[in-house]
Amino acid sequence: MSTPSELQDSFGRTMRDLRISITDRCNFRCLYCLPETEEAANFYRDRFNPDRAKPLNYSWKPKDNFLSYEEIDRVVRVLASHGIRKIRITGGEPLLRRNVERLISQLSSIPGIRDIALTTNGFLFPERAEALRSAGLSRVTLSLDSLEPETFRKLTGKDGLNLVKESIRVAKSLDYAPIKINAVIIRHLNDHEIEALAEFASEQEVVMRYIEFMPLDSGRAWQSEHVVPKAEILDRLSRRFDLDSVEADRPSETAKRWKIKGCPGEIGIIAPVTEPFCGNCDRIRLTADGRIRTCLFSLNEHDIKPQLRDNVDDVMLAERIREIVRSKEEKHYIGEGRFQQPDRTMSYIGG
């Protein structure tokens, strides 16, 4: 049950989880986010959407548009006093921003914050991992969409597979726990690796997360034919492995989870397209340029940077955020006729 000071929307959901994007910049060009490479264009052209199959020129926000670490710290302190308990730092690629360790250290000292995690593509993680751990980061999620070098490059625009594997090794050596691996599954591209990714996760004793392909790419080339649904992923894994369902730690968990009998590690499937979990959503998002999004697929954003830079007091800032949370959408509408893709891509919004 929520208390009067907590952030509750008009559907009775209480916010506990804040995703913070600290930059829109990324050194990858993933096909499902910033499909600017010729490989991405060729994939869409050959398979699905020829009219939209062309590399895009993405314009980054000026750096002075980004919130400072001090401004982020202030927002989190206000939100923590109103019930936010979990923080995830995202981007873009968050490790492209300088001194992320300082931000982690600041946030880890805030009363009420119980969990700080980082999502990264792993390219820069090995050289930053120890400093981040010392600063207070305990959990990391790495993107690994393919175990095949050529498919990895087609998906990300980078020859970075070995660096991601090295990131896993380094994270294990520094006792990050749990270590999660995200794989966006796209039909005719990496769906043949579903079983191999589970085997890899078991061998590495990490948590494997399969994610349905969502309509958040800057090329707006997404179509439902791209999606490999949860039911299909689970069916294939069940035919290969003996799976035991894992009970959710809390109703708002995004992943349905299983253990492979007799093996370490864990697998999970996040299915926002075919099995939405909106009814228990307890998340809001803060973009790098100071806008609050109440849903990953929101069509509206709420700019709180003016209040931060006009130095309104914490009571007024909290009330502004409370009003925003009350307007949180009941659900997204993927698969329904009224669905509209957000103007900004995952790189801007933060994963």
Side-chain angles (χ1 to χ4, degrees):
M1 179 177 291
S2 66
T3 67
S5 68
E6 292 178 328
L7 300 168
Q8 192 171 84
D9 69 13
S10 62
F11 302 99
R13 297 169 297 194
T14 301
M15 303 300 109
R16 303 291 186 200
D17 188 326
L18 176 66
R19 310 292 173 97
I20 306 172
S21 174
I22 61 173
T23 181
D24 65 340
R25 288 158 171 75
C26 191
N27 50 350
F28 280 23
R29 291 296 179 269
C30 293
L31 187 144
Y32 48 81
C33 182
L34 297 174
E36 299 179 354
T37 65
E38 286 295 339
E39 289 90 346
N42 291 337
F43 173 78
Y44 286 121
R45 181 182 299 114
D46 293 344
R47 296 283 184 182
F48 298 107
N49 207 336
D51 293 335
R52 297 176 182 177
K54 57 184 179 180
L56 301 174
N57 293 316
Y58 196 74
S59 57
W60 307 112
K61 286 273 187 182
K63 290 183 179 180
D64 60 3
N65 279 25
F66 294 166
L67 295 185
S68 68
Y69 288 164
E70 288 68 32
E71 289 168 331
I72 293 171
D73 177 88
R74 185 181 174 209
V75 173
V76 174
R77 288 181 184 277
V78 168
L79 291 178
S81 70
H82 290 79
I84 289 294
R85 296 293 174 256
K86 296 181 64 180
I87 302 293
R88 179 169 291 276
I89 305 299
T90 71
E93 170 46 50
L95 297 185
L96 288 177
R97 187 152 174 185
R98 293 180 180 176
N99 300 319
V100 180
E101 302 83 358
R102 179 163 64 86
L103 176 64
I104 297 294
S105 180
Q106 289 175 231
L107 299 183
S108 65
S109 71
I110 295 176
I113 297 301
R114 300 171 184 163
D115 183 65
I116 301 176
L118 175 81
T119 298
T120 173
N121 61 33
F123 202 78
L124 299 172
F125 182 75
E127 63 192 64
R128 309 281 291 278
E130 188 169 0
L132 289 164
R133 190 80 176 91
S134 297
L137 184 68
S138 59
R139 297 201 298 121
V140 64
T141 298
L142 296 155
S143 296
L144 178 61
D145 301 306
S146 175
L147 298 167
E148 301 171 354
E150 181 57 29
T151 304
F152 186 97
R153 187 178 62 79
K154 186 180 294 186
L155 265 160
T156 66
K158 279 278 190 179
D159 291 317
L161 177 57
N162 287 335
L163 268 173
V164 180
K165 290 182 176 180
E166 174 65 6
S167 291
I168 295 171
R169 187 197 67 76
V170 170
K172 290 170 67 176
S173 74
L174 293 170
D175 295 324
Y176 281 90
I179 300 167
K180 295 182 180 179
I181 308 298
N182 283 347
V184 177
I185 304 300
I186 302 176
R187 194 175 299 283
H188 302 304
L189 187 53
N190 65 342
D191 56 322
H192 64 286
E193 296 187 70
I194 289 171
E195 294 87 351
L197 286 163
E199 290 174 351
F200 176 81
S202 182
E203 292 167 0
Q204 295 295 319
E205 302 185 20
V206 297
V207 178
M208 187 73 229
R209 292 286 191 257
Y210 302 92
I211 304 175
E212 289 181 341
F213 181 30
M214 294 177 283
L216 288 168
D217 61 296
S218 63
R220 295 180 174 268
W222 182 93
Q223 291 180 337
S224 59
E225 291 92 335
H226 300 155
V227 178
V228 181
K230 174 199 163 190
E232 182 178 334
I233 295 171
L234 181 58
D235 178 63
R236 285 177 51 178
L237 291 172
S238 298
R239 278 188 266 162
R240 174 69 70 87
F241 308 103
D242 191 0
L243 302 179
D244 278 331
S245 179
V246 176
E247 186 176 349
D249 294 329
R250 62 193 192 285
S252 60
E253 275 191 9
T254 58
K256 300 295 184 183
R257 300 156 54 201
W258 293 266
K259 297 282 285 187
I260 300 174
K261 283 187 181 180
C263 299
E266 180 184 291
I267 63 170
I269 305 174
I270 300 174
V273 177
T274 64
E275 296 184 22
F277 34 82
C278 305
N280 292 313
C281 181
D282 65 351
R283 289 169 295 285
I284 54 176
R285 287 174 162 78
L286 179 65
T287 66
D289 57 348
R291 299 170 188 267
I292 289 182
R293 296 179 64 89
T294 50
C295 173
L296 186 59
F297 298 97
S298 289
L299 297 178
N300 299 310
E301 298 180 328
H302 309 271
D303 192 359
I304 63 168
K305 188 165 58 180
Q307 284 81 20
L308 290 170
R309 296 193 173 173
D310 289 345
N311 204 31
V312 301
D313 64 34
D314 287 353
V315 174
M316 292 181 64
L317 181 61
E319 185 52 38
R320 168 68 175 142
I321 295 172
R322 194 183 303 281
E323 291 174 1
I324 293 168
V325 169
R326 281 197 288 264
S327 72
K328 182 175 171 67
E329 301 86 341
E330 180 180 15
K331 62 177 186 175
H332 64 66
Y333 296 95
I334 299 174
E336 301 181 25
R338 62 188 293 185
F339 176 74
Q340 296 180 53
Q341 183 171 333
D343 288 337
R344 299 215 279 183
T345 72
M346 182 71 84
S347 179
Y348 266 130
I349 296 169

